[in-house]
Amino acid sequence: MYHILFFDGECRYCNRWVQWVVDRDKKRCFRFASLQSEFAKDAFHYYNVDKNKFDSIVVLINMQSANKITVKSEAVAFLFSILKPDALLYKLIKFMPRMISDLGYDLIAAIRRFIPVSDCRLYNEEEMRLFLDNSNFTELLFRFGHKK
């Protein structure tokens, strides 16, 4: 099973983050869904999470015994732990008190729509299969077993 990265599909900066993950995820540990999708709505409903609390990156971590939802700097740290564990940013987030790293995350999140980023790229066919926006969450649950 893979981890699911939910992102703000209307934010170019968030889309850029998704591109960064796709480029570095050689083992294809991650799948993606926009927060605006029906898939995200169904997933958050299943896990009894208020999706209106989130407007940027959320990671659903699939573990053997259960699943865990991470947000803000904890979600970013998890991405780095899988994709680039030697990165300085990961080490800073990991050792910094969560309140401080979340404050840094919130500051970037507040201005993310104004941060200039290059245009979004078109994904190839293999990469397109990583996106779950048009997938049925209930089918996915049955395919991989129920874990809350």
Side-chain angles (χ1 to χ4, degrees):
M1 185 81 176
Y2 39 76
H3 312 293
I4 302 172
L5 170 61
F6 296 95
F7 64 99
D8 180 356
E10 298 171 354
C11 169
R12 289 178 66 185
Y13 186 71
C14 297
N15 278 288
R16 185 67 189 109
W17 259 102
V18 170
Q19 289 177 38
W20 185 89
V21 173
V22 168
D23 289 345
R24 285 156 185 80
D25 185 16
K26 303 303 181 206
K27 294 181 181 177
R28 296 299 184 224
C29 299
F30 291 95
R31 298 297 184 273
F32 309 92
S34 70
L35 289 167
Q36 294 81 7
S37 69
E38 282 297 313
F39 182 89
K41 178 182 157 200
D42 293 344
F44 288 130
H45 176 71
Y46 179 78
Y47 288 104
N48 199 26
V49 174
D50 181 5
K51 107 174 184 115
N52 296 321
K53 286 183 179 179
F54 313 115
D55 66 349
S56 58
I57 293 176
V58 178
V59 177
L60 173 62
I61 302 172
N62 281 298
M63 299 181 285
Q64 292 292 333
S65 58
N67 294 326
K68 177 182 178 185
I69 292 185
T70 62
V71 297
K72 298 188 178 192
S73 64
E74 185 180 14
V76 173
F78 180 75
L79 292 172
F80 272 93
S81 74
I82 300 292
L83 302 174
K84 212 160 166 72
D86 293 334
L88 178 61
L89 180 61
Y90 171 61
K91 292 176 182 175
L92 288 172
I93 293 171
K94 185 176 173 185
F95 294 108
M96 195 178 295
R98 176 107 187 262
M99 185 176 82
I100 294 172
S101 59
D102 276 351
L103 177 63
Y105 180 92
D106 289 340
L107 290 172
I108 292 171
I111 63 167
R112 72 181 191 270
R113 294 182 189 267
F114 306 106
I115 297 173
V117 293
S118 58
D119 291 333
C120 296
R121 75 162 193 249
L122 296 175
Y123 293 101
N124 65 38
E125 195 173 315
E126 184 262 332
E127 292 168 335
M128 287 297 294
R129 283 187 287 247
L130 301 173
F131 290 84
L132 303 173
D133 285 2
N134 297 320
S135 298
N136 183 305
F137 180 73
T138 307
E139 285 178 18
L140 189 78
L141 281 176
F142 285 112
R143 194 171 349 144
F144 295 106
H146 297 272
K147 290 188 293 183
K148 277 197 177 188

